[in-house]
Amino acid sequence: MIKPPCWIELERAAFQKNIRYLKRRIGSARFCSVIKGNAYGHGISSFLPLAEGCGVSYFAVFDSFEARRAWEVKKPTTELMIMGYIANGDLAWAIGEGISFYVFDVERLRNAVEASRKVGKAARIHVELETGMRRTGFEEEELQEVIKIILNHPVEIKVEGICTHYAGAENIANYVRVNEQYEMFNKLSERLRARNIQARYYHTASSAAALTYPHTIMDLVRMGIAQYGFWPSKETKMYNMLSDDARFTVNPLRRGLSWKSRVMSLKWVGPGKFVSYGTSFMTGKSTRLASIPVGYSHGFSRSLSNLGHVLIRGKKASVIGFVNMSMFLVDVTHIKEIQKGDEVVLIGKQGKQTITVDSFSEMASHVNYELLTRLSPDIPRIIRG
Ligand SMILES: *Cc1c(COP(=O)(O)O)cnc(C)c1O
């Protein structure tokens, strides 16, 4: 077998466990798996079929390029929705393939009517409502026009969803804002209902909203980070640990992604020598260095220079000097038995030790999302189990 410089392993059982747990938490609502950002770094083409195997049949992507990658690997009956960008010309493709998509401006709604006529198939739309995030979504004043277009084109337009997104449900500091958004969503969707516009799915919840504000679950949950085994924030985890409906002592979510490489070469360096580019690290004593064929081009952040750790032979080894584009060095003086070709764990478990995604940085909150999505799509993904 030809061995790549590094690879990502996905552990099937972990995702099975997460999805089963989260499905139980959302009751009868539809589980929609969010796979934007290359399935949060897990790889769309590996993760989607794995999730299908766990009984997931609805997926959400951000753009029509991701939709094409998902479309290539999905089962014919699996449903897809695009929550954001759609390239010119892809609207007709999406409609033709029965892929639903967000509509957040009148122009896209008009284009959908036109493309539907061309394709000879109804466009399945999600009407996104502006409720307070002020990113995308129809303002209250625009609804009159939206209602008119939808009612005038019952053949071309089918309302699959009415939806919104909360501005930070993973942080209790946003409690008032989230609740105001919830109220606003109900008010605006009521206005649509009063004009006889109803959706198959009313959906507002992401992982954090579903796990913290159960009333936001409605008909469908757009589940992202939690299905990959990460709590959206420490707060969300604490809240769930202590709350009546979810109390737990053993974390019910499991991380199924490991990132591994191998020792490329070994070298002894005497005391008082600068290591790697520049002068950021000088040896204090005779030091043994291992080079690892992974760098910032793979997603191993340069900010881990002189800070990060990896696992080799069950022991922690510190990153020495700057992380380069395609490799970095670690201090392995204390790992006497080390050999060229030894497995290196960048994220995941080895022996009794674990390197978590969080440990990559001390920054709070969104760091998991960002670090995961930086994992290069070129790294091979291997499914275990
Ligand atoms: C990314 C995203 C989600 C999923 O968010 P998580 O916090 O990962 O669960 C849901 N809805 C929209 C619109 C999104 O962009």
Side-chain angles (χ1 to χ4, degrees):
M1 193 186 103
I2 299 168
K3 295 174 174 175
C6 67
W7 66 97
I8 285 168
E9 293 179 7
L10 305 180
E11 188 197 339
R12 190 186 306 276
F15 303 106
Q16 272 168 345
K17 188 170 188 290
N18 298 340
I19 291 168
R20 201 177 304 135
Y21 170 74
L22 294 166
K23 277 190 167 177
R24 199 161 63 234
R25 290 292 303 274
I26 68 171
S28 59
R30 187 95 189 252
F31 187 100
C32 171
S33 164
V34 178
I35 53 167
K36 66 180 187 228
N38 199 26
Y40 293 50
H42 291 62
I44 287 181
S45 51
S46 306
F47 184 77
L48 187 151
L50 194 164
E52 280 182 334
C54 302
V56 178
S57 56
Y58 209 120
F59 291 87
V61 294
F62 176 73
D63 61 58
S64 56
F65 289 74
E66 292 174 336
R68 285 178 182 276
R69 275 160 53 213
W71 177 83
E72 274 171 21
V73 294
K74 76 176 187 70
K75 290 184 195 161
T77 50
T78 291
E79 298 181 79
L80 260 186
M81 105 179 148
I82 303 172
M83 304 186 292
Y85 179 78
I86 300 177
N88 285 343
D90 274 354
L91 204 57
W93 169 77
I95 294 168
E97 294 301 337
I99 297 167
S100 63
F101 51 88
Y102 275 35
V103 169
F104 38 69
D105 58 37
V106 169
E107 191 187 348
R108 183 176 283 182
L109 185 54
R110 292 217 174 92
N111 290 344
V113 170
E114 203 177 299
S116 157
R117 285 193 184 133
K118 220 182 293 168
V119 177
K121 203 165 163 181
R124 294 166 57 199
I125 67 162
H126 299 260
V127 178
E128 188 186 11
L129 300 175
E130 171 60 66
T131 60
M133 180 136 178
R134 304 188 182 92
R135 188 168 71 171
T136 48
F138 287 111
E139 303 281 344
E140 192 167 8
E141 309 81 73
E142 292 176 287
L143 284 187
Q144 198 57 29
E145 179 71 7
V146 172
I147 290 166
K148 206 173 89 193
I149 297 172
I150 293 176
L151 291 180
N152 285 341
H153 300 93
V155 177
E156 292 90 344
I157 299 292
K158 293 271 177 276
V159 182
E160 168 87 357
I162 294 177
C163 58
T164 196
H165 189 58
Y166 298 108
E170 73 287 341
N171 192 332
I172 201 71
N174 301 322
Y175 178 81
V176 172
R177 188 166 169 202
V178 166
N179 278 316
E180 279 172 3
Q181 284 191 267
Y182 174 77
E183 300 293 332
M184 190 63 173
F185 180 79
N186 284 340
K187 181 183 153 198
L188 296 183
S189 47
E190 194 47 54
R191 269 195 59 186
L192 294 172
R193 197 177 289 117
R195 300 291 307 277
N196 221 10
I197 294 175
Q198 301 205 48
R200 179 180 175 208
Y201 296 119
Y202 289 81
H203 56 99
T204 64
S206 60
S207 303
L211 296 170
T212 321
Y213 304 86
H215 54 284
T216 64
I217 291 173
M218 305 181 193
D219 305 319
L220 175 148
V221 172
R222 302 183 307 261
M223 197 71 83
I225 195 88
Q227 68 182 325
Y228 303 105
F230 298 84
W231 290 93
S233 65
K234 287 200 178 74
E235 260 177 76
T236 317
K237 184 178 179 185
M238 281 299 284
Y239 176 83
N240 278 270
M241 267 178 91
L242 304 172
S243 75
D244 283 339
D245 49 335
R247 193 182 300 274
F248 63 82
T249 42
V250 178
N251 187 354
L253 298 180
R254 256 174 63 190
R255 297 168 182 202
L257 177 146
S258 313
W259 186 15
K260 296 180 178 173
S261 179
R262 293 184 181 83
V263 173
M264 182 169 75
S265 79
L266 293 158
K267 175 191 289 288
W268 278 100
V269 179
K273 305 288 186 202
F274 290 122
V275 171
S276 187
Y277 289 116
T279 55
S280 78
F281 186 89
M282 183 191 268
T283 53
K285 55 178 172 48
S286 188
T287 302
R288 196 174 197 196
L289 297 173
S291 58
I292 316 299
V294 175
Y296 55 79
S297 70
H298 301 99
F300 197 85
S301 173
R302 203 165 171 277
S303 64
L304 295 169
S305 300
N306 289 312
L307 275 179
H309 291 92
V310 302
L311 301 174
I312 303 170
R313 298 213 172 214
K315 294 196 172 101
K316 267 192 174 175
S318 308
V319 175
I320 296 296
F322 287 123
V323 172
N324 302 167
M325 188 184 289
S326 306
M327 73 166 118
F328 63 90
L329 301 168
V330 291
D331 182 348
V332 293
T333 315
H334 59 300
I335 310 174
K336 302 280 179 261
E337 62 290 17
I338 190 166
Q339 284 187 11
K340 226 168 99 168
D342 277 356
E343 183 189 83
V344 178
V345 169
L346 309 165
I347 296 175
K349 268 181 89 146
Q350 198 185 53
K352 291 197 177 70
Q353 301 268 15
T354 305
I355 306 263
T356 61
V357 174
D358 327 39
S359 73
F360 268 31
S361 168
E362 290 306 314
M363 288 185 298
S365 191
H366 279 174
V367 73
N368 288 339
Y369 294 76
E370 190 174 342
L371 285 166
L372 286 168
T373 53
R374 277 199 210 152
L375 293 171
S376 166
D378 293 337
I379 303 172
R381 270 75 173 167
I382 299 161
I383 295 170
R384 297 262 179 246

